[in-house]
Amino acid sequence: MTSFQQARVDLGSQLRQLREAAHLSGKELAQRLRWQPSKVSRLENARQTATEDDVVVWAQAVRASPDTTDELIRQAIALLERHDDWKQRHRSGLAAIQEDIRDLEARTKLFRVFEPGIIVGLLQTSEYARHVFRKVKRLYSAADQIDAAVRVRMQRQEILYDRTRTFRFVVTEAALRTALAPPEVMRGQLDRLLAVSTLPNVEFGVIPFDSELPSSPINGFWIYNEALVSVATMTKDLVLREPDDIAFYVRAFDDYAKVAQLEEAGRDIILRILHEYRKQPSH
């Protein structure tokens, strides 16, 4: 067990002890917090990382002391600031990771996302996502929860239709052409992008191959409000909260957005690639 996972286990144990001391069942606590009962179980059993918000409302519900609450917050922040080991993280389950992400998205009003080599998770079709999760499972020896992970990823996408939220996605043309699934799945995925790109609260930009890039697109990144940036590498998921780091990635996103083709121009690129996929035989 890694030190990160041990810290998550320790925090989950403390949360359980506080719940039991308050004479609450997991279901009763979930009702107070307006959560799914499964979330209480995931946090207590270290299958999901508790956020600062999670521990604050938990502490309030069980009437924990101010000192206890402060200590829980400290531990939660420390966990989120750690460089999460992807191999260990995926062993906890593909679905649990999707639940972690969904909780973060629920607290976000402004999304800015840059992806150079894959379709953004919030925009994936179920079949494209299934092929991605199969590759993740093989690479990281992840727990076999592909069906559950796909289901949660599809549930996450309901947030796209919340008009109080704004989504700005920028991808490279390479991301649309990278064949992470068979041609028929890629065709369905590109059709999905065409539909989502017309939503009034969604800005979808494509950087064509013939555009000069402002910097090398080494990694994709997600900016959540002005609060944090998530940068995924092959072995680590970096969670950055320092204002200087956030400002740097905001500038980087704006630079990429300036050279991206938006609206009809962006959809023209998708249509051109979709036409090429239609020429390919289905597997």
Side-chain angles (χ1 to χ4, degrees):
M1 182 180 293
T2 65
S3 60
F4 174 86
Q5 182 66 7
Q6 183 61 59
R8 192 159 69 167
V9 168
D10 292 343
L11 179 56
S13 177
Q14 293 174 60
L15 293 174
R16 179 187 296 108
Q17 291 172 10
L18 288 169
R19 174 181 60 77
E20 292 174 346
H23 305 291
L24 292 172
S25 68
K27 184 177 181 180
E28 289 169 337
L29 178 60
Q31 288 174 339
R32 287 193 182 188
L33 300 177
R34 297 183 180 179
W35 290 355
Q36 292 295 320
S38 59
K39 180 172 179 177
V40 172
S41 175
R42 291 195 305 271
L43 293 178
E44 290 186 348
N45 293 288
R47 296 197 304 273
Q48 182 173 337
T49 304
T51 67
E52 181 180 354
D53 290 344
D54 290 337
V55 299
V56 167
V57 296
W58 190 299
Q60 290 172 342
V62 301
R63 297 182 178 178
S65 69
D67 287 346
T68 298
T69 302
D70 288 345
E71 175 58 21
L72 293 174
I73 293 172
R74 184 195 64 77
Q75 293 181 53
I77 291 175
L79 279 172
L80 291 173
E81 289 180 344
R82 292 278 295 276
H83 289 186
D84 193 353
D85 180 274
W86 272 56
K87 188 172 184 180
Q88 181 61 46
R89 186 182 182 197
H90 281 87
R91 283 177 177 170
S92 68
L94 295 169
I97 296 171
Q98 293 303 301
E99 293 284 5
D100 278 345
I101 298 171
R102 181 164 65 172
D103 286 342
L104 174 58
E105 290 170 345
R107 302 191 301 275
T108 303
K109 290 295 185 180
L110 172 61
F111 297 76
R112 282 165 289 187
V113 184
F114 172 71
E115 285 290 358
I118 189 172
I119 305 299
V120 179
L122 276 178
L123 306 179
Q124 292 178 6
T125 65
S126 59
E127 284 308 305
Y128 181 95
R130 188 175 303 279
H131 282 275
V132 170
F133 283 132
R134 285 173 181 165
K135 291 172 172 60
V136 170
K137 179 182 180 299
R138 179 192 61 79
L139 186 61
Y140 298 101
S141 301
D144 190 3
Q145 297 180 325
I146 291 176
D147 288 344
V150 171
R151 182 171 60 254
V152 178
R153 176 160 285 183
M154 295 303 102
Q155 291 169 349
R156 282 174 50 203
Q157 296 183 5
E158 295 173 4
I159 201 172
L160 291 168
Y161 303 96
D162 181 348
R163 298 289 183 87
T164 68
R165 304 176 197 271
T166 300
F167 302 86
R168 299 184 64 198
F169 300 108
V170 175
V171 302
T172 64
E173 183 174 339
L176 307 182
R177 292 182 177 275
T178 299
L180 291 175
E184 63 271 19
V185 175
M186 296 302 297
R187 290 195 289 268
Q189 178 60 71
L190 292 176
D191 275 333
R192 166 69 173 161
L193 294 182
L194 289 172
V196 174
S197 69
T198 63
L199 292 175
N201 58 331
V202 172
E203 177 184 277
F204 188 82
V206 182
I207 302 176
F209 279 143
D210 58 4
S211 289
E212 181 179 348
L213 293 173
S215 61
S216 177
I218 300 173
N219 295 104
F221 55 87
W222 289 62
I223 308 172
Y224 298 90
N225 294 328
E226 305 290 341
L228 66 85
V229 179
S230 176
V231 184
T233 73
M234 290 291 286
T235 57
K236 301 287 184 182
D237 188 17
L238 311 182
V239 179
L240 309 175
R241 291 176 176 269
E242 291 295 323
D244 286 349
D245 288 330
I246 296 171
F248 175 90
Y249 279 96
V250 168
R251 290 196 302 272
F253 179 85
D254 289 342
D255 284 345
Y256 285 124
K258 287 175 183 176
V259 297
Q261 297 295 310
L262 305 172
E263 299 181 348
E264 289 304 320
R267 284 190 282 274
D268 284 344
I269 298 173
I270 299 173
L271 284 168
R272 184 173 70 246
I273 300 170
L274 178 58
H275 180 69
E276 294 176 18
Y277 270 118
R278 284 173 176 158
K279 295 179 179 178
Q280 300 179 27
S282 299
H283 287 180

